[in-house]
């Protein structure tokens, strides 16, 4: 079977090279190795074993696993954290392999490798520049998109995690990394200088920007136990609205809950996130709402959450050693599809 | 509760039978039975491998992992800096390691790292296949490994110096002595080892599959051992054993990671005082042991600096009474464990436990049976009564039939219960894992050949598994159920100067309970358990020359269950050769060894490379 996969890979490679010559003509044909119409799922893989991977789901909902390794005949690496598509290139952030693999997005053929420390998430800030949050440097790596190299670094708080770009600023969630933090670093993307640091609540993990340009940050909250597992201190998670680099509103979740995975719909009008203490559920929040919803939209715990083209997506990592699953829901919370993907599916990348 | 009563009744039943039969028995068992170790006293119905450690002072560079892998059917999993055994498809914490009868498994994590144990100063290593928890306690579920220093084997005074050099910067020096004057026997050794481990491998995870050098895997270790035995009178014997070891190593990461700063420092001190006394048909053995384990793991790039200091005080008493063909064995152990771990919510944890043990045996030339009951009292969780029923029958002068049925357990470790931090929390409500083992086998022993075959079935329930919860935290729970069954066979025979030995294990170990509603692996072979494992070795002895060749086969293993095809690691076959030559007129022995003779690429853990061909040369100088 392994050999077959490799053969398919070689075949795909040949097809892709051919197709890139006369791309306009065969653009619509869905063949393995042509990754234009569809979306990607990043599968972290087991920490310490280097078996992270990428799954591709085409426009018909057919899944192809291990797309990077099968095309390039080498592994992505250890803990595939996230993927971003910028200027027709896939940037795959491999956390524990300290690398960013750069591949042509329509063929998945590797074109460059950027060495960093512990990369988490990436966001484009201009035509020539992107930011990568990196726990290993407690800061942002500035990537020169023309050369695919690190041009400089910007210091943030502890464990920079989610990042979003709006207006002239990038908003970086300092989740704490291997420690604890409660801030957002706001960076001026023109000169790569920190504009301000906002305190939003313990463990900010994800950030999105709505249709009006408001910045929404989700913080997870923090629980500390004593020797007998009694809670010593606990802080609530918050949904924080930032306008003009000032906190405009803070909506607190129930203490003991740890909300995460803030995503936004295509129109930029509705937020979705997972909330709960042990078992989580997906909730929807209209950007004009003034209080947190009490009824769940999807009563299910997802390991990763995504939104694209009118659909909500969520992953289940099962037991974290076998192949995980990805589910597709309507915005009303009705399940419409499920596919089996790689090991520990953690995130989505939509083109 | 009902079960407990049943087993007490069962034991009482045997006692009544005992009284009825006692008068009829006139056969006296040899006195030596009184002095034999607890292990040997309870081998009825058991499949066991006895590995004699080469010759005094030699083999200074051999670690327990490679010794076991090449001379038994036990599967060894090697990754990073760690090597752990898997008996009968069980996981690494299901093997109990005992040093002269004292349990060595870490109280923090339940493991024993076989790559850090050197076989240098043990006189014999015994591998017991199958559970033994009703005799030795927690952890002896899949099997147990017994490291022994038997001073009775010393008959001469000797002093020995050895030096070993090997590929990839291996250097080892050792010094050993043994003295015996009939009353006092002593044996000691000192060993230093350093290994650069800079082997080359093909990095299949990188663009173009380059040939690279493993530049992070240095090991430095030091071992000191001293064993003393003093025979006060024919009735009384004292012995003292001390074993200190220290190992510092760079922990290599998988081949997809470009660099690592992970380091592991292991320091251990073990001391054991034993008193054996016998009067007529009664013998008493008292043991007092002190074990200290100082473990540190650092990975500063990830802000990891983990440290624990574990101390165990074990007092053990064992009384044997022989009446005719019957052996009555009573025992008790008191254990105090202290553990200070910077990853626990409150740094220091203390626990005390008490165990009581009773056994009744019958042994004649044709029949033997053994019944054992063990009960342990722990402060934070309940341990059920552990029974063993074993039976042996000599069917003919050469064929023996064995049968064993027993219950085994593994207690949750300190880490399982008290860990806090780094995204993981222990679970204070865990209960012991429960395992029922049934096995039967035949042993064929003739003057020139030995053949053994064993079939077993082992059901483990309430297995502790660390799972990532929906809030991202890892937490252990008693949720897994595993069924292991299989066949183990071994054969040994001699044709003139040539000895041939072979081992084979067929292991089917499956998940029996979904740990999650999406769990697709029920009925599937467990990860990292090969269906087939075997080895064969040929040893030729001619005058002062010994030549040996051994080949071992490790079957394919599943690394991750997935559809349509599971992710696997390929099977591999490794061949080693060794030559040993003793000079007639010089006190010198030369030993040469080639490991992985055919320079095979193989992996026992996903994306962790192993060295290719390795050469070793040992020069040993011994004066008697």
């Amino acid at each position: 079977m392994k050999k077959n996969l490799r053969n398919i890979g070689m075949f795909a490679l040949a097809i892709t090279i051919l197709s890139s010559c006369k791309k306009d003509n065969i653009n619509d044909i869905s063949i393995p190795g042509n990754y234009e119409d569809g979306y990607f799922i990043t599968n972290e893989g087991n920490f310490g074993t280097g078996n992270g991977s990428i799954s591709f789901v085409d426009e018909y909902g057919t899944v192809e696993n291990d797309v990077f390794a099968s095309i390039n005949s080498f592994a992505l690496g250890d803990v595939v954290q996230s993927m971003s598509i910028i200027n027709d290139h896939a940037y795959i952030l491999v956390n524990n392999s300290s690398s960013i693999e750069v591949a042509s997005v329509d063929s998945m053929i590797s074109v460059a490798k950027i060495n960093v420390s512990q990369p988490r998430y990436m966001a484009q800030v201009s035509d020539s520049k992107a930011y990568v949050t990196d726990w290993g440097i407690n800061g942002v790596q500035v990537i020169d998109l023309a050369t695919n190299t690190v041009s400089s670094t910007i210091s943030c708080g502890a464990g920079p995690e989610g990042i979003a770009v709006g207006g002239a600023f990038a908003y970086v969630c300092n989740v704490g990394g291997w420690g604890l933090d409660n801030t957002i670093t706001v960076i001026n993307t023109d000169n790569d200088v920190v504009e301000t640091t906002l305190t939003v609540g313990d463990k900010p993990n994800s950030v999105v920007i709505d249709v009006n340009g408001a910045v929404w940050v989700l913080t997870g909250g923090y629980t500390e136990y004593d020797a007998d597992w009694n809670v010593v201190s606990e802080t609530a998670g918050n949904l924080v609205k930032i306008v003009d680099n000032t906190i405009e509103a803070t909506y607190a979740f129930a203490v003991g809950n740890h909300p995460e995975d803030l995503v936004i719909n295509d129109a930029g009008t509705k937020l979705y996130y997972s909330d709960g203490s042990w078992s989580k559920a997906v909730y929807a929040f209209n950007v004009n709402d003034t209080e947190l919803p009490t009824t769940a939209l999807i009563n299910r715990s997802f390991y990763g959450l995504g939104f694209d083209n009118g659909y909500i997506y969520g992953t289940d990592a099962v037991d974290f050693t076998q192949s995980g699953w990805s589910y597709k829901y309507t915005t009303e919370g009705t399940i419409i599809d499920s596919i089996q993907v790689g090991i520990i599916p953690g995130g989505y990348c939509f083109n | 509760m009902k079960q407990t009563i049943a087993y007490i009744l069962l034991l009482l039943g045997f006692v009544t039978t005992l009284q009825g039969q006692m008068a009829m028995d006139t056969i006296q068992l040899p006195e030596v039975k009184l002095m034999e170790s607890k292990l040997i006293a309870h081998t009825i119905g058991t499949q066991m491998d006895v590995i004699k450690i080469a010759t005094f002072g030699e083999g200074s560079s051999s670690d327990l992992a490679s010794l076991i892998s090449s001379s038994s059917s036990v599967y060894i999993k090697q990754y990073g800096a760690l090597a752990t055994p898997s008996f009968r498809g069980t996981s690494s914490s299901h093997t109990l390691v005992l040093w002269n009868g004292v349990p060595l498994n870490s109280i923090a994590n339940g493991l024993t790292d076989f790559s850090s144990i050197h076989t240098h100063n043990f006189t014999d290593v015994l591998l017991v296949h199958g559970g033994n928890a009703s005799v030795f306690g927690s952890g002896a579920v899949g099997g147990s490994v017994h490291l022994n220093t038997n001073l009775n084997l010393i008959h001469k005074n000797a002093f020995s110096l050895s030096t070993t050099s090997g590929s990839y910067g291996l250097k080892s020096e050792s010094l050993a002595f043994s003295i015996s004057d009939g009353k006092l026997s002593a044996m000691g050794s000192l060993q230093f080892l350093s290994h650069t481990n800079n082997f080359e491998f093909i990095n299949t995870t990188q663009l173009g599959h380059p040939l690279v050098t493993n530049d992070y895997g240095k090991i430095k270790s030091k071992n000191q051992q001293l064993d003393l035995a003093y025979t006060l009178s024919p009735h009384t014997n004292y012995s003292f054993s001390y074993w200190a070891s220290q190992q510092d190593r760079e922990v290599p990461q998988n081949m997809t990671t470009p660099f690592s700063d992970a380091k592991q420092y292991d320091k251990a001190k073990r001391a054991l005082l034993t008193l054996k006394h016998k009067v007529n048909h009664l013998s008493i053995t008292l043991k007092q042991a002190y074990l200290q384990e100082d473990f540190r793991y650092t990975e500063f790039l990830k802000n990891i600096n983990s440290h624990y200091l574990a101390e165990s005080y074990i007092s053990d008493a064992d009384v044997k009474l022989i009446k005719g063909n019957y052996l009555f064995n009573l025992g008790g152990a008191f254990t105090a464990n202290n553990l200070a771990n910077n990853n626990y919510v409150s740094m220091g944890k203390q626990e005390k436990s008490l165990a009581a043990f009773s056994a009744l045996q019958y042994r004649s030339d044709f029949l033997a049976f053994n019944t054992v009951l063990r009960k342990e009292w722990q402060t934070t969780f309940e341990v059920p009564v552990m029974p063993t029923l074993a039976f042996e029958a000599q069917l003919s002068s050469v064929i023996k039939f064995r049968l064993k049925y027993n219950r085994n357990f593994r207690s949750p470790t300190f880490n399982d219960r008290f860990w806090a931090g780094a995204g993981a929390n222990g679970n204070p409500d865990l209960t012991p894992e429960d395992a029922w083992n049934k096995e039967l086998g035949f042993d064929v022993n003739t003057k020139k050949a030995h053949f053994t075959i064993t079939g077993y079935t082992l059901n483990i329930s309430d297995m502790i598994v660390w799972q990532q919860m929906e809030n991202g935290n890892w937490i252990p729970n008693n949720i897994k159920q595993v069924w292991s069954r299989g066949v183990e066979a071994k054969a040994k025979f001699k044709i003139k100067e040539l000895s041939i030995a072979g081992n084979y294990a067929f292991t089917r170990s499956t998940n029996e309970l979904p740990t999650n509603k999406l769990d697709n692996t029920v009925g599937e072979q467990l990860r990292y358990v090969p269906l087939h494992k075997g080895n064969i070795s040929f040893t030729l002895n001619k005058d002062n020359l010994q030549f040996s060749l051994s080949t071992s086969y490790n079957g394919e293993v599943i690394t991750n269950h997935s559809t349509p095809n599971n992710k696997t690691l390929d099977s591999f076959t490794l061949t080693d050769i060794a030559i040993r030559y003793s000079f007639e007129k010089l006190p010198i022995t030369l030993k040469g060894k080639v490991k992985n003779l055919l320079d095979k690429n193989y992996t026992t853990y996903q994306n962790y490379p192993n060295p290719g061909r390795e050469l070793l040369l040992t020069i040993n100088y011994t004066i008697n």
Side-chain angles (χ1 to χ4, degrees):
Chain A
M1 192 54 212
K2 263 186 192 155
K3 237 181 196 161
N4 283 344
L5 276 178
R6 201 172 300 143
N7 288 341
I8 292 168
M10 290 309 290
F11 174 73
L13 187 70
I15 294 276
T16 326
I17 292 162
L18 284 176
S19 72
S20 56
C21 302
K22 36 179 184 175
K23 199 165 154 191
D24 295 340
N25 302 332
I26 56 165
N27 218 0
D28 298 330
I29 305 166
S30 174
I31 46 165
N34 188 343
Y35 303 110
E36 281 183 293
D37 301 307
Y39 61 93
F40 297 88
I41 294 161
T42 51
N43 306 294
E44 291 174 12
N46 301 112
F47 181 86
T49 59
N51 61 348
S53 67
I54 299 281
S55 300
F56 175 72
V57 186
D58 71 15
E59 57 199 305
Y60 308 108
T62 312
V63 63
E64 185 190 342
N65 290 319
D66 285 322
V67 292
F68 184 90
S70 61
I71 298 288
N72 293 295
S73 77
F74 65 92
L76 263 176
D78 203 12
V79 187
V80 175
Q81 184 65 37
S82 68
M83 169 172 162
S84 296
I85 296 170
I86 300 169
N87 298 346
D88 282 334
H89 282 100
Y91 288 83
I92 304 158
L93 280 60
V94 192
N95 182 264
N96 205 37
S97 293
S98 306
S99 66
I100 302 172
E101 291 287 350
V102 189
S104 154
V105 77
D106 53 3
S107 68
M108 269 291 147
I109 293 173
S110 164
V111 295
K113 181 177 191 156
I114 308 171
N115 293 317
V116 284
S117 184
Q118 289 158 34
R120 306 291 295 182
Y121 295 92
M122 186 168 184
Q124 183 176 16
V125 295
S126 74
D127 284 347
S128 59
K129 198 164 70 177
Y131 287 171
V132 170
T133 58
D134 192 326
W135 283 18
I137 61 161
N138 283 329
V140 159
Q141 309 261 15
V142 183
I143 307 292
D144 179 339
L145 294 172
T147 57
N148 284 324
T149 53
V150 175
S151 56
S152 64
T153 60
I154 307 163
S155 287
C156 299
E161 184 81 352
I163 180 170
V165 177
F169 301 102
Y171 300 85
V172 176
C173 298
N174 299 308
V175 75
W178 313 104
L180 182 64
D181 203 328
N182 56 8
T183 59
I184 293 287
T185 303
V186 183
I187 303 167
N188 183 325
T189 56
D190 290 334
N191 55 15
D192 301 338
V193 170
V194 174
E195 178 85 7
T196 180
T197 303
L198 304 170
T199 302
V200 288
D202 285 341
K203 290 182 168 270
N205 53 50
S206 41
V207 53
V208 294
I209 291 161
D210 73 13
V211 65
N212 308 314
V215 179
W216 294 87
V217 175
L218 196 60
T219 76
Y222 178 69
T223 310
E224 196 184 325
Y225 302 94
D226 72 1
D228 301 316
W229 297 99
N230 299 314
V231 173
V232 176
S233 67
E234 202 163 33
T235 57
N238 293 328
L239 179 64
V240 180
K241 186 183 184 184
I242 299 165
V243 177
D244 294 332
N245 295 343
T246 328
I247 294 171
E248 192 181 274
T250 298
Y251 304 99
F253 290 89
V255 173
N257 280 14
H258 299 289
E260 60 184 10
D261 289 335
L262 185 65
V263 295
I264 193 161
N265 67 352
D266 309 301
T269 54
K270 212 169 206 178
L271 308 175
Y272 299 92
Y273 56 83
S274 289
D275 182 41
S277 59
W278 288 107
S279 197
K280 286 190 167 59
V282 178
Y283 292 82
F285 180 92
N286 197 301
V287 293
N288 297 320
D289 288 351
T290 51
E291 56 185 300
L292 293 173
T294 48
T295 344
L297 176 67
I298 304 168
N299 231 325
R300 182 161 189 159
S301 291
F302 293 116
Y303 185 68
L305 202 64
F307 190 99
D308 184 54
N309 210 12
Y311 296 104
I312 302 163
Y313 296 86
T315 62
D316 193 317
V318 195
D319 63 354
F320 293 81
T321 61
Q322 59 186 290
S323 295
W325 290 82
S326 170
Y327 298 92
K328 186 179 183 180
Y329 288 82
T330 65
T331 48
E332 281 76 49
T334 313
I335 187 163
I336 49 172
D337 199 11
S338 69
I339 47 171
Q340 200 163 12
V341 289
I343 295 143
I344 317 183
Y348 290 90
C349 175
F350 301 102
N351 205 340
Chain B
M1 194 58 207
K2 260 184 195 159
Q3 267 181 350
T4 317
I5 293 167
Y7 282 109
I8 292 168
L9 289 175
L10 191 63
L11 184 64
L12 287 176
F14 279 122
V15 174
T16 355
T17 339
L18 166 80
Q19 283 167 345
Q21 285 192 355
M22 217 176 309
M24 299 189 291
D25 286 306
T26 48
I27 309 159
Q28 287 290 318
L29 285 186
E31 284 273 292
V32 69
K33 289 259 185 290
L34 278 175
M35 297 306 269
E36 70 192 9
S37 70
K38 202 162 181 175
L39 169 66
I40 300 302
H42 293 279
T43 48
I44 296 169
T46 301
Q47 196 220 315
M48 188 167 74
D49 300 324
V50 181
I51 306 173
K52 291 279 173 208
I53 302 298
T55 318
F56 171 75
E58 286 181 32
S60 54
S61 67
S62 180
D63 64 278
L64 195 57
S66 26
L67 181 79
I68 290 178
S69 189
S70 61
S71 51
S72 79
S73 58
V74 176
Y75 178 62
I76 300 284
K77 195 160 64 169
Q78 215 141 6
Y79 45 96
L82 208 68
T84 57
S86 168
F87 277 83
R88 296 186 169 175
T90 59
S91 64
S92 39
S93 53
H94 291 136
T95 299
L96 182 65
V97 179
L98 298 113
W99 170 63
N100 294 314
V102 178
L104 284 190
N105 291 34
S106 159
I107 57 169
N109 56 37
L111 300 176
T112 310
D113 177 9
F114 280 24
S115 71
S116 69
I117 295 178
H118 292 266
T119 56
H120 188 224
N121 226 39
F122 303 112
T123 49
D124 48 29
V125 173
L126 295 98
L127 311 179
V128 173
H129 296 247
N132 216 350
S134 54
V135 181
F136 290 108
S138 171
V141 172
S144 52
V145 175
H146 302 256
L147 310 169
N148 294 331
T149 40
N150 189 350
L151 292 174
N152 292 334
L153 299 176
I154 300 179
H155 302 296
K156 58 180 181 183
N157 299 339
F159 176 79
S160 148
L161 276 169
S162 270
T163 174
T164 299
S165 317
S167 306
Y168 321 122
L170 175 73
K171 292 233 173 315
S172 169
E173 274 85 41
S174 68
L175 179 156
F177 75 90
S178 69
I179 49 169
S180 177
D181 74 345
K183 281 208 144 189
L184 179 74
S185 306
M187 182 165 92
S189 72
L190 189 61
Q191 185 220 11
F192 299 95
L193 182 144
S194 70
H195 198 177
T196 320
N197 243 327
N198 55 346
F199 61 90
E200 287 188 323
F201 64 97
I202 294 166
N203 193 333
T204 51
T205 68
Q206 302 297 331
L207 177 64
H209 298 194
L211 185 68
V212 293
T213 304
N214 184 48
D215 57 2
Y216 197 78
K218 287 186 207 73
I219 300 173
K220 259 199 175 145
S221 75
K222 203 161 72 179
N223 255 285
Q224 295 151 271
Q225 271 170 292
L226 179 69
D227 295 274
L228 299 169
Y230 182 68
T231 308
L232 186 70
S233 72
H235 302 291
T236 311
N237 182 285
Y238 291 98
S239 62
F240 173 74
S241 293
Y242 176 76
W243 174 21
S245 58
Q246 183 178 347
Q247 179 150 279
D248 300 343
R249 52 191 154 171
E250 297 172 341
V251 182
Q253 302 296 307
N254 70 84
M255 58 170 102
T256 72
T257 60
F259 52 82
S260 167
D261 73 332
K263 286 193 172 71
Q264 189 177 320
Y265 309 91
D266 293 275
K267 263 192 268 181
K269 288 190 185 95
R270 298 117 177 162
L272 170 67
L273 192 63
T274 309
L275 162 69
K276 284 184 180 179
H277 186 74
K278 67 172 168 141
V279 215
N280 299 325
H281 298 294
L282 183 78
S283 82
I284 297 170
T285 304
L286 298 174
K287 284 184 179 181
Q288 178 61 49
Y290 170 73
L291 308 172
Q292 190 198 73
E293 193 197 350
D294 183 332
F295 171 92
R296 185 182 289 277
Y297 180 92
T298 62
E299 202 174 347
F300 293 112
L301 284 174
K302 297 203 176 90
N303 200 19
I304 299 172
N305 185 357
S306 185
H307 175 231
Y308 71 76
L309 182 77
E311 287 180 303
S312 298
Y313 299 85
I314 303 167
S315 313
D316 186 286
D318 188 76
V319 180
K320 290 196 197 89
L321 175 68
I322 289 181
K323 278 281 179 196
N325 291 48
Y326 291 91
L327 172 81
F328 195 59
N329 191 184
L330 273 178
F334 175 75
T335 304
N337 289 326
N338 299 335
L339 196 113
N341 190 324
N342 69 343
N343 282 107
Y344 293 172
V345 176
S346 67
M347 289 273 290
K349 283 280 170 196
Q350 282 90 35
E351 278 191 348
K352 293 180 173 75
S353 70
L354 190 66
F357 160 90
S358 73
L360 178 66
Q361 281 183 12
Y362 170 88
R363 288 196 251 190
S364 77
D365 289 343
F366 308 103
L367 279 180
F369 72 70
N370 190 15
T371 57
V372 185
L373 281 178
R374 186 183 187 279
K375 173 70 186 160
E376 184 172 307
W377 292 272
Q378 287 278 357
T379 41
T380 54
F381 50 86
E382 184 76 21
V383 181
V385 172
M386 294 290 135
T388 291
L389 282 176
F391 171 81
E392 275 181 11
Q394 200 70 39
L395 300 180
S396 79
S397 61
V398 293
I399 303 174
K400 188 168 82 179
F401 169 72
R402 287 180 278 116
L403 191 69
K404 191 169 171 179
Y405 182 35
N406 64 0
R407 187 181 195 180
N408 302 284
F409 75 108
R410 184 177 83 87
S411 294
T413 63
F414 276 65
N415 282 3
D416 287 339
R417 290 176 294 144
F418 307 123
W419 186 273
N425 285 345
N427 178 353
D429 302 324
L430 291 174
T431 58
E433 299 178 351
D434 195 8
W436 288 90
N437 174 60
K438 286 172 224 160
E439 62 184 282
L440 60 86
F442 292 92
D443 299 340
V444 180
N445 284 302
T446 68
K447 265 186 188 161
K448 283 189 172 164
H450 305 277
F451 176 76
T452 287
I453 187 159
T454 309
Y456 64 88
T457 164
L458 170 66
N459 286 286
I460 312 176
S461 53
D462 292 333
M463 239 173 96
I464 298 166
V465 177
W466 282 79
Q467 274 189 309
Q468 194 163 17
M469 289 295 151
E470 284 146 347
N471 65 356
N473 262 18
W474 289 84
I475 285 189
N477 273 306
N478 291 94
I479 45 156
K480 200 166 176 170
Q481 206 168 305
V482 162
W483 179 28
S484 273
R485 61 280 193 199
V487 178
E488 293 164 333
K490 60 179 177 180
K492 247 185 213 174
F493 52 97
K494 245 184 153 164
I495 310 164
K496 291 183 180 167
E497 284 106 357
L498 179 71
S499 328
I500 301 170
N503 294 282
Y504 168 77
F506 169 81
T507 312
R508 180 100 175 104
S509 189
T510 52
N511 179 14
E512 294 300 304
L513 194 75
T515 52
N516 178 306
K517 60 185 181 302
L518 290 171
D519 186 355
N520 261 339
T521 65
V522 173
E524 295 256 355
Q525 181 84 350
L526 298 187
R527 304 169 69 214
Y528 289 104
V529 177
L531 268 182
H532 307 281
K533 156 97 172 91
N535 55 52
I536 186 159
S537 66
F538 303 89
T539 309
L540 188 69
N541 277 298
K542 194 127 199 192
D543 305 323
N544 298 332
L545 188 75
Q546 186 187 66
F547 175 81
S548 69
L549 182 148
S550 66
T551 292
S552 64
Y553 172 82
N554 286 272
E556 181 187 85
V557 294
I558 295 169
T559 59
N560 292 95
H561 292 97
S562 72
T563 45
N565 294 96
N566 290 328
K567 311 267 179 199
T568 56
L569 291 179
D570 292 342
S571 63
F572 59 90
T573 306
L574 296 179
T575 302
D576 297 348
I577 52 166
I579 288 179
R580 179 177 176 274
Y581 182 78
S582 310
F583 289 92
E584 204 142 335
K585 293 191 175 132
L586 291 170
I588 289 174
T589 303
L590 291 180
K591 222 169 99 173
K593 190 168 185 180
V594 185
K595 287 163 92 174
N596 192 1
L597 178 70
L598 304 173
D599 204 19
K600 288 270 178 72
N601 275 328
Y602 67 100
T603 320
T604 54
Y605 199 77
Q606 201 173 7
N607 291 329
Y608 282 85
N610 281 302
R613 187 181 299 123
E614 275 180 276
L615 304 170
L616 291 163
L617 180 71
T618 302
I619 303 168
N620 173 260
Y621 173 85
T622 301
I623 43 169
N624 291 306

